Amino acid sequence: MKTGHILLVDDEPAIVTALRPALRAVGHEVTIARDGNTAIASMTVNDPDVVLLDLGLPDMDGKDVIRRIRQTTGTPIIVISARHQEYEKIAALDEGADDYVDKPFVLGELLARVRSALRRRNHLDEAPTGFEAADLSIDYGTREVKLRGEVVKLSPKEYNLLKMLAESAGQVVTQKRLLAAGWGRSEADPQYLRVYVGMLRQKLEANPSEPQLILTEPGVGYRLSVNHAG
Amino acid sequence: MTTLSPANPLSPPSQSGGLAWLTLLTGPYARAAALLCLFAALGVVLAPWLGEGYVSLVFVLAISLAGTLYGMTPALVASLLGAFLFDFFISEPVFEFSLDRTADLAPPLVFTLCAVISGWLSGRLKDEAIRANRSNRQLESLLDLSRALQSANSEADVTGILGADGRRYSLLRAAPQDGAVVVDALADPAVRSVAQAAMTDGREMVEKDNLVACRLDTGGRVLGALVAEKGAAGEDGLLLARARMGALVLERIELGERLGEVRAKARSEELKSALLASVSHDLRSPLTAISTSAASLLEYGEQFDSETSRELLSGIVAESSRLNHLTANLLQMTRLQAGQEELYWTDLPVADTLRAVVERKRRLDDSHPIRLVAPDEDVLVRADTALFDLVITNVLQNAARYSPVGTPITITCGVEGELCAIAITDEGIGIPPEEQSRVFDSFYRGERGDRKPGGSGPAGSGLGLAIARGFVNACGGAIAVTSPVKDGQGTTITIHLPLTRNEAL
């Protein structure tokens, strides 16, 4: 299940040339789109499992591409961004992108993000009953959280936040979405979020000052790592 | 302008020796005396008919006239002379000074008193008139000066306009370098010390030997000092007024300069942030391609066929060269932003340099035939060679990037008046009018994705034309885009650069 059909949307021939062989080598099928319109058309024609999308396209804004794709499908979209601007990443995520990587990215990390997205894609149809990764397990039915087999007591807010992160495990979750999950409104003070993430780390991390599980994406949000060795 | 006539008793002539005597003889005193003698003679003639009392009135009339015409001091002198003449010629006994009888004493005494008072009053009136006239003329001169100073744009202008009064001025500035002599028309070694005294001493005006220095300040801020040769008495007040006016103009000039600096700084900040934005974008793409290609080869190299491996390797080479061109662009952009002093200005032979750039372009990329039309006799422009080279390369690259393979690119170079005109024309799809104003912005790339049918070259950095504009502006030239050129196709980028003013060419 770890392989799928990838739609790579980038107008940079160099990036396409560099990325395609590696994606194929790990078993993915790769379709290339050089601009937004081709990408949108390709969504219906090829029905890819994951979209890798460069925001800087010649014919239209990458965010518009995300919006258009989201009108018809929930296919995971990973944004590849060369402009390290938080507001642009947040805007892309708000439009419905699932994750982003910064250029220049490390190949291994990009492939891991693709794996995460594929995993999520495969679970799209069935409602997940829980989360299981490395030392952490969450039972969505009983709301029971276990760390290395030991039950961890979480407050309802902490649990909601953790569940939100776990549902998009391996992918970034914006502050806005986390605030909506924990406090019911996305415009709540991000300071609350920092406090609760801090408390979650106290309970879940081996060393809360060097988090391995709940990672900060500066200015954007948080990510639940599925690769941590912890 | 002259404020005082030579006959003005308020400013005694400063000449010495024989000339002074001459002036005295023809001056107001001599004239007043002559007037009095004339009237005295009349009085003597009329004395037998009029009697002593009326004749004395003739004398008083003469003294009043002298006061009206020549001012107070000559009138007073005339009145004393009159008293003497009256006693000698008119009052009994005639032709001798007779003040031995008490009765004799009264008429000359009364007469003298009348004469003095009349001389004093009429003279004072005249003096007031002279003074009013003079201040009027001074006011007018100050008004003229202030009008003239409106047009001043530099310290030299200021002293030049002040110097229209015939005096020579030296100007020292307090800032940026303390006591720097900016204009030195006096060329007197003492200028600096007297100016320094005026700037630091509490007094607004300092005199020393034959020099006088006025502090130039506006609202307590000392701008510098104006030094002139000491003039006639009474003129120094005027000098001070002129100096104050000059100070205001200097301040205006200074503020204007500072405003220009602030604007230039803001522009450069803008450019800097645009540069940063493009660095982040344009360095990352080739870096990503290189790192991904290399990582792919390392990780999955064994699974690749030889063609894939070759493709990845040549991608690494191509992207490295793109990075190289990009860093050259960035370096030149930084130099442009650092300002004029970072650029190496030389007299650059345009046609020759164009030929070299075109040759190199032909070697690297033969996708478009390039035609160069340049005059046999080269033209010189004042420019930075590395930047000029890069700008032409960038424009050529754009032309190639946005036109179908095989279509020609034409470069023409010629002289238009005081300018060298370079035009680079392609037969590509052109730039829509709404985009034309933005093509020179940093980081801007054409909206049309279909510019290059079948093309697969790397996208541009969006820096090329921004650098071109920065360079052309630094040279004091202009850059423009024309599109379409003909039949709805093609783009011309025209660069105008000022020719080097070199008749020897």
Side-chain angles (χ1 to χ4, degrees):
Chain A
M1 73 123 265
K2 286 284 176 73
T3 63
H5 186 162
I6 315 287
L7 174 64
L8 176 56
V9 190
D10 201 322
D11 66 328
E12 289 268 346
I15 301 281
V16 172
T17 311
L19 205 48
R20 186 167 38 193
L23 287 170
R24 282 188 176 150
V26 293
H28 300 306
E29 191 183 333
V30 183
T31 302
I32 308 296
R34 284 195 193 282
D35 55 58
N37 285 312
T38 317
I40 290 160
S42 176
M43 288 307 292
T44 43
V45 177
N46 303 85
D47 188 25
D49 298 311
V50 173
V51 180
L52 283 176
L53 175 71
D54 187 333
L55 283 183
L57 293 174
D59 60 338
M60 61 199 287
D61 191 333
K63 291 192 286 294
D64 294 333
V65 179
I66 299 172
R67 196 177 308 133
R68 294 275 294 277
I69 292 176
R70 277 289 166 267
Q71 282 168 3
T72 54
T73 162
T75 307
I77 301 173
I78 299 173
V79 163
I80 301 173
S81 162
R83 301 173 204 177
H84 293 191
Q85 304 278 357
E86 280 72 35
Y87 64 85
E88 202 154 74
K89 296 174 196 166
I90 294 170
L93 292 170
D94 282 347
E95 288 293 350
D98 297 83
D99 205 351
Y100 71 85
V101 284
D102 283 329
K103 276 186 191 175
F105 47 78
V106 177
L107 181 64
E109 192 177 339
L110 180 81
L111 294 177
R113 299 287 175 80
V114 172
R115 274 201 303 277
S116 286
L118 278 171
R119 195 181 301 124
R120 189 175 156 264
R121 160 78 166 172
N122 292 337
H123 292 304
L124 263 185
D125 312 325
E126 46 187 282
T129 55
F131 172 82
E132 200 91 35
D135 298 337
L136 186 70
S137 72
I138 307 169
D139 188 324
Y140 294 157
T142 61
R143 295 170 72 95
E144 193 177 58
V145 178
K146 281 185 184 166
L147 187 67
R148 280 181 230 98
E150 305 247 334
V151 175
V152 182
K153 285 258 176 233
L154 294 183
S155 75
K157 269 201 177 62
E158 288 168 352
Y159 174 79
N160 286 345
L161 290 179
L162 185 61
K163 188 185 174 205
M164 188 81 206
L165 286 167
E167 279 171 350
S168 301
Q171 298 179 342
V172 69
V173 183
T174 57
Q175 294 187 354
K176 218 162 128 181
R177 279 174 67 200
L178 287 170
L179 284 169
W183 284 266
R185 38 191 199 101
S186 57
E187 66 275 17
D189 190 348
Q191 189 62 39
Y192 296 142
L193 188 58
R194 277 193 282 278
V195 171
Y196 274 88
V197 168
M199 292 195 289
L200 265 178
R201 281 174 177 160
Q202 289 290 341
K203 292 177 180 176
L204 300 177
E205 299 279 1
N207 179 3
S209 61
E210 279 176 39
Q212 303 286 315
L213 189 61
I214 302 172
L215 307 179
T216 303
E217 291 287 329
V220 180
Y222 296 91
R223 181 195 303 278
L224 184 66
S225 168
V226 288
N227 306 320
H228 78 292
Chain B
M1 65 136 239
T2 52
T3 45
L4 304 171
S5 70
N8 188 346
L10 290 175
S11 74
S14 56
Q15 293 96 329
S16 57
L19 205 62
W21 281 109
L22 188 73
T23 321
L24 203 63
L25 283 176
T26 57
Y29 294 92
R31 289 187 200 177
L35 188 75
L36 187 79
C37 290
L38 195 73
F39 274 73
L42 190 71
V44 171
V45 174
L46 294 175
W49 292 280
L50 293 176
E52 200 172 299
Y54 285 108
V55 170
S56 72
L57 284 179
V58 174
F59 273 72
V60 172
L61 181 67
I63 290 160
S64 300
L65 270 175
T68 312
L69 290 173
Y70 308 119
M72 193 170 78
T73 327
L76 289 177
V77 171
S79 69
L80 290 175
L81 180 67
F84 173 72
L85 292 176
F86 183 81
D87 187 36
F88 190 77
F89 289 106
I90 310 295
S91 77
E92 294 292 338
V94 184
F95 303 125
E96 66 181 86
F97 296 107
S98 53
L99 297 171
D100 40 342
R101 289 177 297 136
T102 322
D104 292 344
L105 213 58
L109 210 64
V110 172
F111 167 80
T112 307
L113 218 62
C114 285
V116 166
I117 289 170
S118 134
W120 179 61
L121 282 176
S122 61
R124 208 179 60 164
L125 216 61
K126 174 66 180 173
D127 288 355
E128 285 299 325
I130 289 170
R131 220 173 271 137
N133 196 10
R134 191 182 57 181
S135 54
N136 210 12
R137 268 184 287 181
Q138 286 186 348
L139 272 177
E140 267 172 32
S141 85
L142 285 178
L143 200 63
D144 288 344
L145 182 70
S146 81
R147 267 191 221 115
L149 282 174
Q150 299 288 327
S151 64
N153 284 317
S154 68
E155 286 99 343
D157 285 355
V158 172
T159 52
I161 291 166
L162 286 173
D165 67 350
R167 295 172 82 164
R168 281 175 302 152
Y169 292 97
S170 288
L171 183 73
L172 288 90
R173 294 297 299 269
Q177 200 188 336
D178 197 25
V181 183
V182 184
V183 179
D184 194 9
L186 291 168
D188 189 322
V191 161
R192 189 181 289 271
S193 68
V194 67
Q196 206 57 259
M199 282 192 275
T200 51
D201 207 0
R203 288 171 297 157
E204 207 177 350
M205 197 165 177
V206 173
E207 291 183 26
K208 195 178 176 192
D209 301 329
N210 62 328
L211 293 178
V212 52
C214 299
R215 188 175 70 230
L216 297 172
D217 71 356
T218 50
R221 201 169 63 88
V222 179
L223 296 172
L226 185 73
V227 187
E229 278 163 322
K230 209 182 283 183
E235 275 193 42
D236 290 339
L238 183 65
L239 177 68
L240 199 58
R242 295 165 71 83
R244 282 178 191 153
M245 221 171 262
L248 284 175
V249 175
L250 280 182
E251 190 179 46
R252 171 173 65 72
I253 292 170
E254 205 177 279
L255 288 177
E257 282 166 1
R258 219 176 300 159
L259 187 68
E261 276 168 30
V262 168
R263 285 202 181 127
K265 203 168 174 191
R267 256 203 312 277
S268 117
E269 287 302 316
E270 229 168 81
L271 267 169
K272 246 174 224 156
S273 55
L275 178 68
L276 266 177
S278 57
V279 168
S280 71
H281 180 267
D282 297 320
L283 290 181
R284 277 171 190 147
S285 283
L287 268 179
T288 306
I290 292 169
S291 112
T292 304
S293 301
S296 300
L297 283 166
L298 267 180
E299 198 76 19
Y300 310 104
E302 291 119 41
Q303 302 175 40
F304 295 155
D305 52 35
S306 66
E307 196 192 337
T308 307
S309 299
R310 228 193 118 67
E311 206 174 63
L312 287 174
L313 284 171
S314 56
I316 291 175
V317 172
E319 291 303 292
S320 301
S321 115
R322 185 174 156 207
L323 264 184
N324 187 38
H325 181 70
L326 208 69
T327 38
N329 267 323
L330 290 174
L331 177 71
Q332 300 305 337
M333 193 77 172
T334 317
R335 285 180 64 214
L336 264 179
Q337 282 165 23
Q340 304 276 337
E341 60 269 19
E342 280 295 315
L343 306 179
Y344 303 113
W345 296 98
T346 53
D347 291 328
L348 178 135
V350 176
D352 216 30
T353 315
L354 286 178
R355 263 189 285 276
V357 174
V358 167
E359 265 318 305
R360 196 184 51 223
K361 177 77 183 157
R362 279 178 187 145
R363 278 201 304 276
L364 290 174
D365 172 18
D366 56 1
S367 61
H368 299 76
I370 305 173
R371 198 162 65 93
L372 175 63
V373 184
D376 292 336
E377 200 175 329
D378 214 334
V379 289
L380 292 185
V381 295
R382 194 86 188 140
D384 180 295
T385 310
L387 266 168
F388 181 88
D389 185 322
L390 187 70
V391 164
I392 300 298
T393 307
N394 284 342
V395 176
L396 277 177
Q397 220 162 56
N398 271 353
R401 184 173 293 128
Y402 293 117
S403 56
V405 172
T407 55
I409 296 168
T410 309
I411 309 183
T412 62
C413 156
V415 175
E416 288 176 12
E418 296 279 292
L419 298 170
C420 168
I422 301 163
I424 295 160
T425 307
D426 63 46
E427 294 181 9
I429 199 154
I431 304 170
E434 65 271 16
E435 279 186 50
Q436 288 181 10
S437 59
R438 287 154 68 200
V439 294
F440 296 111
D441 293 348
S442 286
F443 196 35
Y444 182 78
R445 284 187 280 168
E447 297 256 332
R448 294 194 192 176
D450 55 350
R451 282 276 175 75
K452 192 173 181 182
S456 63
S461 63
L463 264 185
L465 286 181
I467 290 178
R469 182 176 61 179
F471 164 77
V472 170
N473 285 350
C475 292
I479 185 165
V481 57
T482 316
S483 180
V485 180
K486 66 170 187 184
D487 305 333
Q489 298 239 312
T491 302
T492 300
I493 300 282
T494 316
I495 297 172
H496 282 98
L497 298 174
L499 290 170
T500 304
R501 276 181 213 147
N502 185 1
E503 290 76 18
L505 180 69

